[in-house]
Each structure stands twice: as C-alpha cells, then as structure tokens.
Amino acid sequence: MTAAVGHTSIVLALLCALWGVASPILSARLGHERYYTAARAAILGQFLLVTLAASALIYALVTTDFSIRYVAFNTTRATPVYYRVTGLWGALEGSLLLWEWILIIFSAVVTWVYSQRHRELMPWVLMIFSIVSAFFLAVIGFVSNPFETISPVPLDGRGLNPLLEDANMMTHPPLLYTGFVGLTVPFAFAMAALIIGKIDEAWIVTTRRWTITAWFFLTAGNLVGAWWSYHVLGWGGYWAWDPVENAAFMPWLPATAFLHSVQVQERRRMLKVWNLSLIIIAFSLTIFGTFLTRSGILSSIHAFSSGPVGIFFLGFLAFVLLGSFGLLAYRSDMLKEQPELDSMVSRESAFLLNNIVLVSALFTIFLGTIFPLLSETIAGTQVSVGAPYFNSVTVPLFLLLVFLMGVGPMIAWRKASWDNLKRNFLWPSTGALVFGIALFLWKVRDFLPLLGFTLLAFVVLTIFYDTGLALRARRRIAGEGVIHGLVTLAQRNQRRYGGVVVHLGVVLIVLGIG
C-alpha cells in the first residue's frame, strides 16, 4: 500500500510538472490569465504530491516495511529511528527524492512570495522550476524508483553503510542538497529574464537573498562534510580532493563569484553577460556533481553505487547548458552596451579580479576532477592527479583571494585616489608587515604559511581599521558608544557588515587550514 501511494504520487506529480511547463507557453501564445493560474496550481500540486511521496518513504523506513526494496537495503529493525529517517537520503533513489522534495519546496515558496509581483517574469520562472522538477520526477518514477517492491519479503534489512551511521548524516546531506537546489531560484529568474528580454538588474535584486540563502547552506554543507571526513574517515585531514568533495565544492566557487560581481552590476550596470554566465555555470555544476556522484564513472568512497541514472543526468546537463547559453547568445544584442571600467584601481576591478581568481580555481579543480576520464579516453586507463596537484594550483589562488578580501570592500568605486588608498591601507599594511616580520623572527620560515598569516593579518586589520573609523564618526555625529555604534552601523548597512562577518569567518577557516 505504501509503495503504491508513493509511486502513484510521483507519477501524478510528473503530470503536474508537464502541465506546469506547457501552461506559461499557452499563456504567452493565447494571452489568457488562467494559464498562469494553472502554472501556479501545477507547482502547488507537485508540492503536495511530492510531500506525500517523501512522507510515504519516511513512514516505510520508520515502520521497517521491508516489502520495499529501498527500505530493506537501508535500514534494519535494530536501527535507531533517527537513522531510519536519514535512510531517506542514504542511497541513490531516496537521495533523488529528497532533492526533488527540496526543489518543490523552494518552488512553492517562490510561487507564494511572488504571487502578486513580477507578473512578467513569474510564468517563465515557474516553467523553469517545472522543467527541472519534471526531469527529477521522471528519473524517480521510471529509472530509479525508491518504491520498488521486493519478493519474498526479507525478515530483516541490510542497514545503512556503517560510515553513514554518524550524527553528521542528519545534517550534511540536507544542508548540501538545500544549497544545490537553492541555486535553482536565481537560475530560474535569470532564464525568465532572458526569455522575455528584460535583462536589467530586476532579477538580480529579486534573487539576492535567495542566492545568499543557497550559498549559506552550500557553505555549511561543505564545512560539515569536511568535519565529518576529519573525525570519521581517518584521512588525517578534512579534505582529500576526492571527486565527490570537489563536486560539492565547485558550485560554491561560481556562486561566490556571482555574489560579488552582482554588486558591480547593481551599482554600475556592468558585467551582465558575466553574471548570467556565472549563475548558469553554478546551476549546471549542481547537475554535474549529481552526475558524478550517481553515475559510478569515478572512484570515490562518497559515491553511490553505479546505476542507470548517469546517462540521464548527462543528457539533462547537456540540455541545460545548450538551452541556457543558447538563450544568452540569442539575447546578445541586448547585452552589448555596458559601461566600461573607469580605472584598474577601483572596487569594480577588485571584484572582477576576485571573480577571475575564483573561476580560475574552478577550472583547475574541474580539470583535476575529470582528468581520470580524460586519461581513460586518451590512454585507456584512469589516472588520478591526486592531492598534490590540487594543493599546488589552488593554494596560490586562494592566497590571492585572501588579499582581495582585504582590498575589495575598502577601495573606492570608479577610481581610487592616492588619498583613498593611503587612508584605508597604510596602517593595516604596516601592521600586517610588522606581524609578518615577527612571525619570521619567531622562526616561521616556510614561505606560503608566512605569506598566508601575513595576509590574514592584513584582512583583519583592514576590517578593524575601517570599522574603527566608522565608529569614531558615529561618536562624533551622534555621541554613540562602541556597542550602540556597531548596532547602528549593522542596521544601516546590513550588506556591508554582513560581508565583514563572512570575511572574518573565512579568516578563521583559513587560519585553521594554515
């Protein structure tokens, strides 16, 4: 009964998704408002049906319904209830259902939040959601069915992989999946803007918080995964440049670049093509990461067992890339006229260099990850490049990012004057240099650690110095003390001081790595 309810719900949700794809097209062709209403109803229908399917599988796991193959292979009667629930994402079929469930939750929330806004964009946004949802539902329903039954019914199940019976199993996959799926929101708005030809800053302003939310969960998922690796797998570290680790990290790089470069577009109306390309790449890498994890083409202790879904994800990835960049090329005439940089010494230039470094890191990690596939294609055997390659090419790039993290937020827009540079960077630079000399005298002689700690000191000092100047101004203007002044500054410029908190967090992470 549970299996029938779950699988039927998935099939009905797929029909809703297909109707959600067709409705906006009919609305545009025929001009009837009811088709937009139908598109919204299709999202709601998918939400209810997928929630029913996910609840059915969780119920089967908790009640140990071993008539369902997935339950028999991922839990036992002796498994604690909380690990039975985590069985939802403990293997291939259930993890895809969790992915789809999170996707349709995001879709439903967006549909509700913008029910009366962005009427031009929303039909197409909902169509993109339904396209992605239809793909996952088709895979779940007909290729990798979590509700497949088994006969005869075993007396007990096989249970989770012992490595997965860890507290981090309850947090790491949901965090990571939420980050991955959250990137669908800015991608959908970007594609909708390209479809209707409204390529201004509106879609970026609308999706800023959605992107930050996805970035937050993606960051948290990677950090929890690194901790899990450190205390369970016995690698002697938190990161081994495993292919699946890389697959989780790669979307974070263009997402981070995107969050920085959209500030340039909002303020100067520059980098439109670049920002659209970044969000396309970020979303595509979530599909690519899913392909790597579930295709079995690369050896990884993280990967699910190889199944038939790999070729479908590869085909969908090709569809996303061709469709997205095809739309971008189609609208290229509307993206040509943009302001140019006034100076290479400006915040725009710093953010652009930040983007170049992040994309360079992405390219080198991507190349190292797929190198075994390239070597197998050319030489007939898989050859892994290993951690030394990744460390040698990424450490210098990440150190440059640390430097830019100190410079970018403090340098002036358009063109920085000598007075601006002197005022913002003289004392922090001097303090960081003194700190570096002190470390050298303290016998820290290895170049990269010495450079890294000096750059971290530079970032911290620029933040403290800039904040100190702002607090002094608040004291002079309003007579506010330190605490009251910090509260006022944070309230009046949330984006700036939110970035400060994030940068200080990055300093702590890099300090731990060093």
Side-chain angles (χ1 to χ4, degrees), residues 172-432:
H172 169 59
L175 286 171
L176 203 59
Y177 288 6
T178 303
F180 273 20
V181 176
L183 291 174
T184 310
V185 178
F187 173 77
F189 274 90
M191 293 303 99
L194 285 171
I195 289 170
I196 68 173
K198 191 178 179 182
I199 315 171
D200 53 15
E201 287 67 53
W203 73 272
I204 283 178
V205 174
T206 301
T207 60
R208 182 194 302 122
R209 289 188 178 181
W210 296 99
T211 309
I212 291 173
T213 300
W215 181 89
F216 169 80
F217 280 104
L218 194 55
T219 304
N222 275 286
L223 289 176
V224 173
W227 166 246
W228 193 357
S229 300
Y230 180 79
H231 84 96
V232 168
L233 295 179
W235 287 339
Y238 46 85
W239 202 264
W241 297 106
D242 180 83
V244 178
E245 283 185 321
N246 295 347
F249 182 52
M250 285 190 287
W252 185 89
L253 294 168
T256 304
F258 177 77
L259 285 174
H260 286 83
S261 61
V262 291
Q263 297 181 53
V264 179
Q265 182 172 342
E266 285 184 68
R267 190 176 183 97
R268 297 291 315 280
R269 298 185 177 180
M270 301 168 62
L271 306 180
K272 291 181 179 180
V273 175
W274 181 252
N275 287 327
L276 286 164
S277 300
L278 282 175
I279 202 60
I280 291 170
I281 291 170
F283 175 75
S284 299
L285 284 170
T286 66
I287 304 300
F288 176 74
T290 311
F291 162 71
L292 278 186
T293 309
R294 291 157 177 82
S295 63
I297 62 171
L298 288 177
S299 176
S300 168
I301 64 168
H302 293 73
F304 294 100
S305 58
S306 59
V309 301
I311 188 64
F312 294 96
F313 274 94
L314 190 61
F316 185 63
L317 176 61
F319 170 77
V320 168
L321 289 171
L322 291 173
S324 303
F325 283 110
L327 269 175
L328 190 58
Y330 177 70
R331 296 297 186 188
S332 59
D333 289 342
M334 303 178 66
L335 297 164
K336 287 182 178 178
E337 295 182 5
Q338 297 186 53
E340 296 182 354
L341 287 172
D342 295 325
S343 171
M344 291 303 295
V345 185
S346 63
R347 190 175 300 184
E348 299 95 304
S349 298
F351 281 178
L352 182 57
L353 182 56
N354 161 283
N355 273 220
I356 292 171
V357 174
L358 284 167
V359 172
S360 299
L362 170 62
F363 176 76
T364 56
I365 294 170
F366 179 80
L367 183 62
T369 304
I370 66 168
F371 187 81
L373 303 180
L374 297 176
S375 67
E376 185 176 29
T377 301
I378 297 171
T381 178
Q382 285 197 6
V383 178
S384 176
V385 294
Y389 159 80
F390 291 105
N391 291 332
S392 63
V393 297
T394 58
V395 168
L397 291 173
F398 290 148
L399 287 177
L400 180 55
L401 276 178
V402 171
F403 171 72
L404 292 172
M405 200 166 62
V407 171
M410 310 305 171
I411 199 169
W413 289 99
R414 290 185 177 273
K415 184 178 182 178
S417 65
W418 171 250
D419 287 339
N420 169 260
L421 297 175
K422 183 179 178 180
R423 182 176 65 254
N424 288 334
F425 299 114
L426 177 60
W427 289 111
S429 299
T430 302

Side-chain angles (χ1 to χ4, degrees), residues 42-83:
I43 294 292
L44 177 60
Q46 292 173 73
F47 168 73
L48 294 175
L49 289 164
V50 173
T51 299
L52 178 60
S55 300
L57 187 56
I58 292 172
Y59 176 78
L61 287 162
V62 171
T63 58
T64 59
D65 183 356
F66 297 132
S67 67
I68 299 175
R69 179 185 295 272
Y70 186 84
V71 176
F73 277 55
N74 291 283
T75 191
T76 67
R77 297 188 187 280
T79 302
V81 171
Y82 47 88
Y83 283 136

